[in-house]
Amino acid sequence: MTSRAFLTALAASGVAASGLVATPARAEQGPLAAALGAGSDWTITASVRARIETIDNQFRASGPASDTMASIRTALAVEYDAGPVRLGGEVVDARVYGEASNSTAGTAEVNALEPVQAYVKVELGNWGAGKAGVGKAGRGLLTLGRQTMDIGSRRLVARNRFRNTTNAFTGANLEWTTASGIRAQAFWTMPQLRLPDDTASLQDNRVELDKETTAVQFYGADLTVPHVLGGTAEAYAFGLNERDTPGHLTRNRRLGTVGARLFAKPQAGKADHDLEAVYQFGKVRRSSADSDHTDVTVSAWFVHGEAGYSLDGGWKPRLAVLFDAASGDGGAPGKYGRFDTLFGARRGDFGPTALWGALQRSNIVSPGARVELTFSKRTDAQATWRALWLEDPHDAFANTGVKDSSGATGRYAGQQIDARLRHWLVPGLLQAETGAAVLFKGRVLRHAPNAPATGSSAYAYADLTLSL
């Protein structure tokens, strides 16, 4: 799709949206459910997001020096509440257009016409308390089938928002909340393997259903306890086991991941914090090559620290200092040290993903600062600065693939600045968002043997989201 064709389509969608959002909502139903005359036991929602983005001076070791693409993500979710049992499903159609033939866009951007959710939810315990509380006995929810999950900080398990496609799982997920607010969760799932995964099919936006297999299993437990040291405490343990199957080669990860978190949410006129530490162990292979049958022992870690303060009044600014670090792999025989972020989201900590996504929780040391502003109920903005170093100079930096195995180019990777502005054109229905990022390359990203011969990298995007 050409840029002109995309803009024409975007304008047309805006005209269509203006007609849709003019439909008045009835009772507590959204506009789509109201237009369909759905009863109170039905929940029907839909959204369409159209985005255009561009990157210049590629930071990756591979991919085009510059790239521009349009993406469209359409989602329709339906749930029927039959009392203690709910039946639901969701179809997501994620497509991209106009990308370069050697674009870095892949299964994180393309997943056409996919039923990412198809579930049965069973209410357990005392749901009669409703919004007023959970009752003396507490209450729980058992979800069976295809589903998406957000756990804790979303750094290790998340339903992706900014990314065009999302992580999804098939299995069982049990959540329980006590009367005192303690929340426990246990799950066993098979992560959905997004298909197609070959370049030609992805660029053609070909429809192919994702698959699940017992050859890839993800399971774990999470416990959250409120009112601990001025905030909320969380502890968790996850397991990931995978093995090769015909047509799907893996690194045969057998990983255990344990972590703890202490956090207090931002509130006007108060300080907040978010501290998280994670350790990872197990076995893995260095590559997914069919010829690689050598297991190495994993010992990896990740830490996040954030301290903020929200001012009361005016634009309600929140100022925060940040620190993230994750281990890299030095290449020692029989050992592997690069942290695996599993099924986590990166947008909140590290800026835009999609054609950007330079940073991730692997081989990175990054202090930073952030300012968040809320101009009104309709408009907000934020900007983040980060300094960047490699935790291990022998490993590839973060998500760039840029690597100097000798370690001779050192640890300094550069600095990143990113900013975002959001505005509700029609409150609750139509939102516009725009953002940009710049990566000022340091010695490693300029002089490592496979570093691209480009200057500082720049990225920008703009999107419209219609929620019905």
Side-chain angles (χ1 to χ4, degrees):
M1 174 185 282
T2 66
S3 297
R4 182 176 180 181
F6 171 74
L7 293 174
T8 301
L10 191 58
S13 69
V15 172
S18 66
L20 287 169
V21 300
T23 303
R26 297 199 303 267
E28 295 183 0
Q29 295 280 25
L32 179 58
L36 295 173
S40 60
D41 47 1
W42 287 92
T43 300
I44 304 174
T45 60
S47 66
V48 180
R49 186 186 69 189
R51 172 185 292 159
I52 189 165
E53 59 190 291
T54 185
I55 184 173
D56 192 33
N57 290 332
Q58 180 68 255
F59 52 78
R60 295 177 177 86
S62 60
S66 299
D67 197 5
T68 298
M69 76 176 186
S71 63
I72 297 178
R73 183 181 68 197
T74 306
L76 174 65
V78 178
E79 183 176 273
Y80 176 69
D81 188 347
V85 176
R86 307 181 216 162
L87 305 174
E90 180 183 18
V91 175
V92 175
D93 187 70
R95 302 171 185 248
V96 300
Y97 302 93
E99 73 275 27
S101 59
N102 60 337
S103 176
T104 58
T107 58
E109 286 71 45
V110 178
N111 198 12
L113 206 61
E114 181 62 39
V116 296
Q117 297 200 87
Y119 58 78
V120 176
K121 292 186 177 182
V122 182
E123 297 174 359
L124 306 171
N126 182 10
W127 279 80
K131 295 182 179 179
V134 295
K136 292 183 179 180
R139 67 182 185 187
L141 190 66
L142 174 64
T143 305
L144 303 171
R146 282 193 160 199
Q147 57 195 278
T148 59
M149 296 191 298
D150 282 324
I151 298 180
S153 66
R154 303 179 61 248
R155 296 186 178 101
L156 297 178
V157 186
R159 174 180 176 126
N160 306 88
R161 272 72 162 175
F162 186 89
R163 202 178 83 184
N164 212 39
T165 68
T166 186
N167 300 317
F169 309 86
T170 300
N173 179 18
L174 175 63
E175 305 169 65
W176 187 269
T177 302
T178 70
S180 60
I182 297 174
R183 181 180 179 276
Q185 180 176 4
F187 64 92
W188 173 87
T189 66
M190 297 173 288
Q192 293 172 27
L193 307 178
R194 287 187 298 278
L195 296 173
D197 55 6
D198 63 286
T199 300
S201 297
L202 289 169
Q203 293 195 336
D204 194 39
N205 291 305
R206 185 164 65 85
V207 176
E208 182 177 351
L209 291 181
D210 298 347
K211 69 176 182 180
E212 306 91 340
T213 171
T214 55
V216 184
Q217 301 182 39
F218 181 56
Y219 48 89
D222 178 272
L223 179 67
T224 302
V225 182
H227 314 303
V228 177
L229 299 176
T232 300
E234 180 184 8
Y236 51 82
F238 304 137
L240 173 64
N241 292 338
E242 67 179 6
R243 66 177 187 274
D244 294 344
T245 56
H248 182 69
L249 298 177
T250 72
R251 293 174 54 232
N252 281 254
R253 291 175 295 174
R254 287 141 290 163
L255 297 177
T257 303
V258 293
R261 182 183 178 219
L262 183 65
F263 65 96
K265 295 181 179 180
Q267 296 183 56
K270 294 185 178 181
D272 61 84
H273 59 271
D274 188 352
L275 308 173
E276 188 165 11
V278 187
Y279 179 68
Q280 201 165 67
F281 56 93
K283 298 285 186 179
V284 72
R285 295 175 185 173
R286 293 189 182 277
S287 75
S288 59
D290 192 33
S291 58
D292 187 353
H293 301 287
T294 303
D295 291 335
V296 291
T297 301
V298 174
S299 179
W301 53 267
F302 159 71
V303 295
H304 171 83
E306 182 172 347
Y309 187 86
S310 300
L311 281 70
D312 197 0
W315 289 348
K316 301 178 181 178
R318 176 179 179 265
L319 308 175
V321 292
L322 316 168
F323 180 78
D324 286 90
S327 59
D329 178 45
K335 297 180 180 181
Y336 189 79
R338 188 175 179 88
F339 186 77
D340 189 319
T341 197
L342 301 176
F343 304 96
R346 295 182 284 154
R347 173 54 166 130
D349 291 332
F350 293 134
T353 52
L355 288 182
W356 191 247
L359 311 183
Q360 70 175 19
R361 298 174 190 95
S362 299
N363 198 30
I364 190 172
V365 176
S366 177
R370 174 175 295 157
V371 58
E372 302 173 12
L373 301 171
T374 303
F375 302 109
S376 68
K377 292 182 179 179
R378 298 175 62 170
T379 308
D380 66 85
Q382 72 171 40
T384 304
W385 164 84
R386 282 186 173 277
L388 308 169
W389 285 269
L390 285 71
E391 191 279 326
D392 192 308
H394 304 89
D395 193 12
F397 172 66
N399 196 41
T400 65
V402 174
K403 179 178 180 178
D404 183 353
S405 299
S406 72
T409 52
R411 297 176 184 266
Y412 183 57
Q415 301 179 59
Q416 177 179 286
I417 297 175
D418 71 89
R420 180 194 69 194
L421 174 66
R422 297 186 298 194
H423 177 69
W424 284 101
L425 299 171
V426 181
L429 294 174
L430 185 62
Q431 186 180 54
E433 178 175 330
T434 186
V438 178
L439 177 60
F440 300 99
K441 296 179 180 177
R443 178 176 174 80
V444 171
L445 295 182
R446 289 182 179 274
H447 301 299
N450 65 340
T454 58
S456 294
S457 303
Y459 169 83
Y461 73 92
D463 63 40
L464 282 176
T465 302
L466 174 66
S467 302
L468 298 173

